[in-house]
């Protein structure tokens, strides 16, 4: 199995290291000091489950890698439309693209069935720009439940969680998913193949759609948001509105708001990825989290006043931080 990790940051390098440990032919595509460190020392993974080093091939030139069986996409979703020159050399006729993204994916309505089958979500696939680069037929969905961070160039700190749920847009249990799942498991990770990954997408989104923008607006950690009464109520309302949109699309999420809040509170003083991006001057990945659900509310006729309000304010924040 030949795998390219395009965007070998904290999550991508962690997955690549695990697959390399399982015996896969892994190629990490990165840049800058992180790339230089991986070339010299491999990927060092520091984890409560045991530290290890993986000396996978690392490069900044996908043409050096050539076509692969799987591309594990570790880029931010707002970089997908521009990744064509990077991903094109990695593709052959049957290459699968495993997109480890938060929020609503560009392929969401691909082979979805029902009245919205084939609908393009403009917020995440503007003008079809992402689909033109990443054909939905190649897509394998991936919901990440692991938390990692780059402690330094070439050094990944694994904080918690090892589950990477994957699944086909058409809800089949395919051989390409089963094969990739087996390799992930051999590398020490959990990788269930879900018949309907959309339910997992909404479970993860319940937290991302609320905690991520609020954390950036308030400069607050998970614990701080949970313990502040007024903010907690806003987050619970955002979650309720999100569940209503999911249900209108025929997706039963199967997790209560109370359980989701309890899990978030246990995380403690963790800074969301959106807050970290704001602090580092990086673009805020809010379209796939918040704008997309507001758009889905429009096509389903669900009222989401709190989501609309937070979206308006956080969108201004994103614009100002990018200026």
């Amino acid at each position: 199995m030949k795998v390219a990790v395009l965007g070998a940051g904290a999550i991508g390098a962690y997955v690549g290291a695990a697959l390399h440990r399982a015996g896969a032919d892994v190629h990490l595509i990165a840049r800058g000091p992180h790339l230089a460190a991986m070339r010299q020392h491999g990927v060092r993974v520091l984890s409560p489950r045991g530290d290890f080093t993986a000396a996978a091939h690392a490069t900044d030139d996908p043409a050096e890698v050539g076509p692969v069986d799987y591309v594990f996409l570790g880029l931010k979703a707002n970089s997908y439309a521009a990744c064509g020159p990077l991903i094109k050399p990695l593709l052959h006729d049957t290459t699968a693209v495993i997109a480890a993204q938060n929020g609503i994916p560009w392929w969401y309505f691909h082979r979805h069935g029902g009245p919205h089958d084939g609908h393009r979500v403009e917020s995440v696939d503007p003008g079809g720009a992402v689909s033109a680069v990443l054909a939905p037929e190649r897509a394998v969905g991936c919901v990440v439940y692991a938390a990692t961070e780059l402690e330094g160039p070439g050094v990944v700190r694994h904080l918690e969680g090892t589950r990477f749920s994957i699944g086909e847009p058409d809800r089949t249990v395919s051989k390409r998913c089963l094969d990739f799942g087996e390799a992930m498991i051999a590398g020490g990770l959990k990788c269930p193949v879900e018949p309907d990954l959309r339910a997992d997408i909404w479970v993860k989104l319940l937290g991302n759609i609320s905690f991520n923008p609020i954390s950036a607006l308030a400069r607050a950690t998970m614990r701080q948001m949970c313990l502040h009464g007024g903010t907690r109520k806003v987050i619970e309302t955002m979650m309720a509105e999100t569940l209503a949109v999911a249900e209108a699309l025929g997706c039963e999420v199967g997790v209560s708001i109370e359980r989701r809040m309890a899990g978030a509170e246990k995380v403690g003083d963790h800074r969301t990825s959106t807050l970290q991006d704001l602090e580092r001057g990086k673009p805020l990945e809010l379209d796939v989290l918040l704008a997309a659900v507001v758009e889905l509310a429009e096509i389903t006729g669900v009222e989401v006043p709190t989501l609309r309000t937070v979206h308006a304010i956080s969108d201004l924040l994103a614009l100002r931080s990018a200026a």
Side-chain angles (χ1 to χ4, degrees):
M1 177 187 293
K2 186 176 180 181
V3 182
V5 179
L6 181 55
I11 284 291
Y14 179 58
V15 168
L19 289 171
H20 181 270
R21 185 165 62 167
D25 179 15
V26 175
H27 303 265
L28 305 173
I29 300 170
R31 60 187 180 183
H34 181 52
L35 170 61
M38 291 192 296
R39 278 174 163 166
Q40 186 170 0
H41 304 293
V43 180
R44 292 178 54 211
V45 176
L46 309 178
S47 171
R49 305 174 71 244
D51 301 346
F52 68 96
T53 299
H57 173 241
T59 181
D60 59 358
D61 182 8
E64 185 180 308
V65 177
V68 298
D69 301 310
Y70 298 91
V71 175
F72 185 88
L73 205 55
L75 302 170
K76 292 280 190 179
N78 48 20
S79 299
Y80 287 0
C83 78
L86 291 173
I87 200 168
K88 187 176 180 180
L90 304 172
L91 303 178
H92 57 56
D93 289 346
T94 61
T95 301
V97 176
I98 300 176
Q101 72 161 96
N102 288 323
I104 300 297
W106 83 99
W107 55 261
Y108 188 87
F109 288 112
H110 177 63
R111 297 180 179 172
H112 179 273
H116 304 297
D117 188 71
H119 176 83
R120 186 178 74 240
V121 184
E122 191 68 20
S123 302
V124 301
D125 190 11
V130 176
S131 293
V133 173
L134 305 171
E137 292 78 14
R138 294 188 183 275
V140 170
C142 179
V143 179
V144 178
Y145 293 95
T148 61
E149 61 184 23
L150 281 180
E151 188 159 293
V155 181
V156 175
R157 171 71 65 177
H158 171 231
L159 303 172
E160 61 176 357
T162 59
R163 182 156 65 101
F164 294 77
S165 297
I166 62 173
E168 294 283 357
D170 66 0
R171 302 178 179 86
T172 60
V173 178
S174 65
K175 184 178 186 300
R176 67 180 183 175
C177 281
L178 292 172
D179 288 349
F180 186 80
E182 287 177 6
M184 292 279 277
I185 292 167
L189 304 178
K190 297 176 181 177
C191 192
V193 179
E194 301 291 352
D196 192 354
L197 190 72
R198 290 177 180 86
D200 280 62
I201 288 172
W202 285 101
V203 169
K204 182 82 181 289
L205 184 54
L206 273 184
N208 289 145
I209 199 172
S210 50
F211 287 110
N212 284 53
I214 296 294
S215 69
L217 291 167
R219 310 296 202 276
T221 66
M222 297 289 282
R223 184 184 66 84
Q224 290 166 341
M225 289 183 283
C226 289
L227 294 181
H228 186 272
T231 302
R232 186 184 184 102
K233 181 62 177 175
V234 170
I235 288 170
E236 289 172 345
T237 302
M238 294 176 73
M239 288 185 177
E241 292 178 0
T242 302
L243 284 174
V245 175
E247 289 167 4
L249 290 170
C251 191
E252 295 295 329
V253 177
V255 64
S256 69
I257 292 173
E258 292 76 14
R259 180 180 170 189
R260 200 69 181 82
M261 292 297 296
E265 193 168 347
K266 288 179 182 176
V267 173
D269 283 313
H270 170 70
R271 289 155 37 252
T272 70
S273 59
T274 304
L275 177 56
Q276 292 181 50
D277 285 344
L278 180 67
E279 292 173 340
R280 295 168 183 168
K282 294 183 177 181
L284 304 186
E285 190 184 32
L286 292 176
D287 285 345
V288 295
L289 302 182
L290 192 47
V293 178
V294 171
E295 182 179 339
L296 295 179
E298 291 176 358
I299 70 171
T300 55
V302 176
E303 295 295 326
V304 291
T306 306
L307 291 180
R308 289 183 183 278
T309 299
V310 175
H311 171 240
I313 301 169
S314 60
D315 187 54
L316 177 58
L317 174 65
L319 290 172
R320 287 178 56 82
S321 65

